[in-house]
Amino acid sequence: MRFGVVRFPGSCDEVDALEACRRVGDAEILWHADPDLGGVDAVVVPGGFSYGDYLRVGAIARFSPVMESVIAFAREGGPVLGICNGFQVLCEAGLLPGALLPNVGLRFLCRQLDIEVVDTDTAFTRACAPAEALSIPAKHQAGRYHAPGDVRVAFRYAHDGNPNGSSNDIAGVANEAGNVVGLMPHPEHAVDELTGSTDGLALLRSAVGLARA
Amino acid sequence: MRARVLIRPKEGILDPQGVAVERALPALGFSGVANVHVGRLVELDVEDVSQLEAMCEKLLANPLIEDYSIERPDAAPQPQDAGPEAPRR
Amino acid sequence: MRARVLIRPKEGILDPQGVAVERALPALGFSGVANVHVGRLVELDVEDVSQLEAMCEKLLANPLIEDYSIERPDAAPQPQDAGPEAPRR
Amino acid sequence: MPDAAALPTVDDAVALGLTRAEYALIAEKLGREPNEVELAVFSLLWSEHCSYKHSRALLRTLPTEGERVVMGPGENAGAVDVGDGWAVAFKVESHNHPSAVEPFQGAATGVGGILRDVFAIGARPIAVLDSLRFGEPTSARSRFLLDRAVAGIGHYGNSVGVPTVGGEVFFEGSYEQNCLVNAMALGLARREDMVRSAAAGVGNVVVLFGASTGRDGIGGASVLASAELGEADEDKRPTVQVGDPFAGKKLLECSLELLDRGLLVSLQDLGAAGLTSSSAEMASKGGVGVDLDVARVPLREEGMAPFEIMISESQERMLCVVEPARVDEVLAVCAKWEVHGSAIGSVTDTARLRVLDGERVVGDMPVVALVDDCPLYELRPQRPSGPLYRAPAGSLAAGASVRETLLALLGSPNIASRLPLYEQYDWLVQSRTVRRPGQADAAVLAMPGGGAIAVAIDGSGRRVAADPYTGTVEAVLECAANLACVGAQPLGLTNCLNFANPEKPHVAWQLSESVRGLGDACRALAVPVVGGNVSLYNEGAEGPIYPTPVVGMVGELPDPARAGRSGFAREGDVVALVGPFAPVLEAGELAKLRGDALPVALPEVDVRPARTTQAAVRDAVRAGDLCSAHDIAEGGRLVAVAESCLAGATGARLAARPLAALATALTPRGRAGRAASRAQDGVPEPLAAALFGEAPGTGFVVSGSQEALDRLGARTPVVELGTVGGDVLAVGDDLSVALGELAEAHAALGPLFP
Ligand SMILES: Nc1ncnc2c1ncn2[C@@H]1O[C@H](COP(=O)(O)OP(=O)(O)O)[C@@H](O)[C@H]1O
Ligand SMILES: [Mg+2]
């Protein structure tokens, strides 16, 4: 199993995502200007501030050459995970429904919180138990999910812990086919007890198809 | 040709920035203000004005959450406008 | 009275957003675009228009790094303007 | 060579901040009158900021040597060896004046600037800390400054992917008109990959890379511009620099890739004074000359004069020296990261900084004159005969009970929870943060070799105002105590000296006493000073700021899994006071709430026993013996216990007797008079001192098993205070406060960030 982790100018969590993927498989960086995905089995679009988040979060990154290929890869059923800024990019790219708006409080917020797994039938939740709560940090300034209608909810903020005013406490969604998943919290930052939690590994294990440890 | 694009939060979508401004004004002694909305302003020189619409659809605005309108101040200058800016790089 | 305030980075002040948008456009197949600047748009109903200037100085704009201009679309409608907006909320 | 028609006058020099004597000296060194470019360059390099003309002699007294020092003062950042071939670089820097003008951009560019100092020596930035001082939050302006400065720090740090892992904020009236915004950055590098800034290799190429150059931050030099721009164009010279973290992030990655590929001879960031100071310092350190062609500098604005290009403070730029054969490769890496890269000059053997505008020479100055010949000034320290600072407005009613006092202290702006502030910072990116804000007294970061480092930043202006020498010793002790709480041993220290006008004798006295304290404390703790920064002339119309030396310390611990925490964790653990703790109320937080004036001096601190205690606590934490360790700081012992309760979300029951005993023990320390005068108050004075008195860096509240505390007691004084458990903080039968009530009081800063 080989993950490709996209790096845009302004990406911040790509190295953490890379290392997190390496805990469950192989992983390499995909450079934004290079449309060649190098035959990876799954793509992670990581967090950060691609293109400074200027204009609108995720707006400019979605047009990079690598994203053209990621879109094609996703349309063919390839597993794609968007984390935080990556989620915003996937929404802008039309791979996921909806859009991410500025937090209701307008401030950047960084906190460890719990999310509940709503849908265990996606490429990145198969290894999770239904309604399982995962302790994962979130950090963003534009995480208020706006759903255009019925969407396939993958994760919700648990225990009234919605940090951003997201509609229906939605923390993450999947496309209809379930191969593309995006969420605001950061599973790649929950892979080591030393730094707080290992709950995020379940998402990556799901993609690998491993049973949960 | 100088053009400007005004981008606003779509109707029905919460605009916390507008709310924050509306709340802050009375504290500063301003009253009688309502319906505040905060959006973005993009100003640019375009050779081919007909491209503007496509630029907005593709990049400048997200139609799911934003409305936009295109204006060409040169075509009908506003009395209060500061006038065309000096070219910069 | 509906009014709008256009807030722009002051001349000479770095406008990183404008630079980013200007760089992105050619990659999308749009050419001939220059001098892109990104600012903010505030639209509001005010009872007393004479207060607007003070509101800008005190809250809406940061006079150190931003210029602003006040427009009243109702007073001089733009041909391309979408017209007066429907009241929201 | 100079264009006689346009020569500036001595009055222009004075307007630029030089003295007439300095102007004469410049003319003497040049052998002629300086032209516009030269005067601009000299005025900046001979400014306090670049030349340290009032502080250099003092800084030379600081201890800078140590086994683990990899780079000491003199480079862009200092660095210490953290084992396994790795070094940690760190430095703190002020951005006080820009932040007072425009707090968001001022603080943001402050973070950008200190990050550049760190990657300029080839270290990848791994952490930021901030040290902030504002006027009282009752002032709307102070609340605004705080809110925007915090947003600005987050804006830059979060966007470039460097975690902000710690910091401090204090509110005092003396900062009302002159806030302090200091930022510290840490970076990680392989020892052998670190790079210096000395230019070398005659014939090598000087490359400028990063953002384009505009008229940022050159407002002060506009006196020179009369020839170029009319009065009406005045606002074309913004003094506010706008940070662009996106450009900063690309610059960071670009710089590290250039170094990684071994393409650079040397590297230097452009900070204050832009190209001027970076080129002059690179030349000076290498003992070479540099030619620069300003016509090759990519500009953001049209019509910039050569002097403007030389002194522009546009952000997100670096200067490097490259062998000619490598230039193309360097420019290709710049292109990859979408930053401008331009060969703008060369290294020469002339020992002169020559500024060209195309073919035309527009400035020609000996490097030695620029960097080394600035006159140094002797301070004329004089101890002030009367109080310099007004007594604070008291807010605590006379006769307040222990309970009321405790809650008032917990809710005081200087003690209340900083959560609403640090939640705005990404403290976790890069996956190293083992102890984050709110969990421990120092941040702990895992290192690649398997160990960890800890870092903290401290400084109490109020105590330094009361006693510059002792207050500074305490700041160093307290910072080391914070490291001890997580099990870390100090490796090196950086500092930022924020003081008022040093030409005033009493400020000179504060500064020299403080530096003496800094040096003595560092020697006593065997911690070398590896770098720092000096920010002078911090005063408002109402008077000087509290003298505020801020110290940042980096330490190491072997096992990140055993890093200490500040919160009580295990029901039934013994709570104990550790150390030679001899608290006093003077200059403490309670004194402030009572509206007491500052004392004329603080009791002397004996560093040796404090050092022994810190070592004992450190070892106990490392051994996994203690469940929690927290140093007693603002608000004293009872506040420290309450903080450990809150951090661990558990209560504690303290026995009244040991406290009463401590209170009696305190009485003989000469406070009988005051005790009598306060006798009608709710809390008898000795008890108040015991519960709420302060003695920074000398006492700890810890929890652990009885056996663990017995072991600790064999090395250092340990007084058992009670046990962990329940959902109240209780003292004997007299006091019982529910955790929820403590938490509510502690959450007082929330409304500052609506
Ligand atoms: N208070 C201080 N203690 C120790 N070293 C200091 C202090 N202030 C400045 N220095 C050292 O002097 C040198 C110049 O500092 P500075 O001008 O702030 O550097 P830069 O221009 O890179 O920001 C640095 O090496 C710095 O570490
Ligand atoms: Mg430097």
Side-chain angles (χ1 to χ4, degrees), chain A residues 31-92:
Chain A
W31 181 243
H32 69 102
D34 184 354
D36 184 1
L37 298 188
V40 297
D41 305 302
V43 172
V44 176
V45 188
F49 292 76
S50 58
Y51 296 91
D53 266 0
Y54 293 142
L55 189 68
R56 195 175 60 249
V57 290
I60 298 178
R62 90 175 231 224
F63 292 109
S64 59
V66 75
M67 281 308 296
E68 300 281 317
S69 309
V70 171
I71 291 170
F73 176 78
R75 298 251 146 92
E76 284 160 19
V80 177
L81 178 66
I83 303 169
C84 195
N85 191 234
F87 182 20
Q88 297 161 344
V89 172
L90 295 184
C91 287
E92 283 280 339

Side-chain angles (χ1 to χ4, degrees), chain D residues 5-18 23 34-44 215 218-231 234 237 276 303-312 362:
Chain D
L7 278 193
T9 65
V10 62
D11 292 326
D12 291 332
V14 171
L16 288 173
L18 293 167
Y23 177 82
N35 68 15
E36 174 185 84
V37 170
E38 292 159 346
L39 187 61
V41 166
F42 268 103
S43 75
L44 286 173
R215 289 193 172 92
I218 58 180
S222 53
V223 288
L224 290 173
S226 39
E228 321 287 327
L229 290 174
E231 289 287 305
E234 207 39 53
R237 282 188 212 87
T276 289
M304 286 181 68
F307 88 86
E308 292 182 305
I309 299 170
M310 283 303 291
I311 67 176
S312 158
V362 295

Side-chain angles (χ1 to χ4, degrees), chain B residues 5-8 52-54 56-57 61 63 66-70, chain C residues 82:
Chain B
V5 179
L6 306 180
I7 302 154
R8 321 176 161 87
L52 265 174
E53 186 91 21
C56 289
E57 290 287 335
E66 294 166 332
D67 285 330
Y68 64 89
S69 59
I70 297 168

Side-chain angles (χ1 to χ4, degrees), chain D residues 101-344:
Chain D
V101 176
E102 211 308 288
F104 182 91
Q105 296 295 347
T109 51
V111 171
I114 193 65
L115 289 174
R116 281 195 298 284
D117 268 332
V118 163
F119 65 77
I121 65 170
R124 172 170 287 276
I126 57 169
V128 167
L129 295 91
D130 60 343
S131 171
L132 310 173
R133 303 288 184 281
F134 299 99
E136 297 293 345
T138 43
S139 135
R141 169 133 189 97
S142 292
R143 291 196 302 270
F144 165 77
L145 289 172
L146 166 71
D147 183 29
R148 299 306 293 160
V150 168
I153 290 164
H155 170 64
Y156 208 105
N158 299 345
S159 305
V160 296
V162 180
T164 301
V165 300
E168 48 157 14
V169 56
F170 286 103
F171 303 89
E172 302 288 352
S174 75
Y175 304 113
E176 172 76 30
Q177 290 171 334
N178 194 129
C179 64
L180 302 184
V181 174
N182 292 185
M184 174 173 174
L186 278 71
L188 183 63
R190 298 294 304 166
R191 275 196 67 152
E192 67 272 16
D193 291 344
M194 299 181 73
V195 54
R196 294 188 184 257
S197 54
V202 171
N204 280 346
V205 178
V206 176
V207 173
L208 173 69
F209 65 105
S212 54
T213 299
R215 289 193 172 92
D216 308 74
I218 58 180
S222 53
V223 288
L224 290 173
S226 39
E228 321 287 327
L229 290 174
E231 289 287 305
D233 296 321
E234 207 39 53
D235 58 351
K236 286 199 180 145
R237 282 188 212 87
T239 41
V240 176
Q241 308 141 36
V242 171
D244 180 356
F246 176 51
K249 171 71 170 166
K250 292 190 296 182
L251 188 68
L252 153 65
E253 297 298 342
C254 181
S255 301
L256 293 179
E257 181 166 342
L258 288 169
L259 289 169
D260 204 37
R261 295 194 187 192
L263 295 176
L264 305 185
V265 175
S266 54
L267 180 62
Q268 166 72 36
D269 64 298
L270 274 70
L275 265 181
T276 289
S277 67
S278 54
S279 58
E281 274 165 29
M282 288 181 99
S284 160
K285 283 177 189 159
V288 293
V290 163
D291 281 3
L292 292 184
D293 180 358
V294 294
R296 293 203 243 159
V297 174
L299 300 180
R300 200 172 78 224
E301 294 174 63
E302 283 173 9
M304 286 181 68
F307 88 86
E308 292 182 305
I309 299 170
M310 283 303 291
I311 67 176
S312 158
E313 294 189 344
S314 288
Q315 300 289 298
E316 284 90 33
R317 299 179 300 162
M318 304 289 284
L319 200 62
C320 63
V321 173
V322 182
E323 287 167 12
R326 296 281 175 91
V327 171
D328 288 346
E329 231 179 308
V330 166
L331 298 184
V333 172
C334 292
K336 171 184 169 188
W337 286 102
E338 299 174 15
V339 305
H340 295 285
S342 319
I344 63 162

Side-chain angles (χ1 to χ4, degrees), chain D residues 723-749:
Chain D
T723 48
V724 172
D727 51 11
V728 298
L729 169 58
V731 181
D733 297 326
D734 305 329
L735 177 80
S736 172
V737 192
L739 273 184
E741 217 175 331
L742 295 175
E744 195 183 325
H746 204 223
L749 288 192

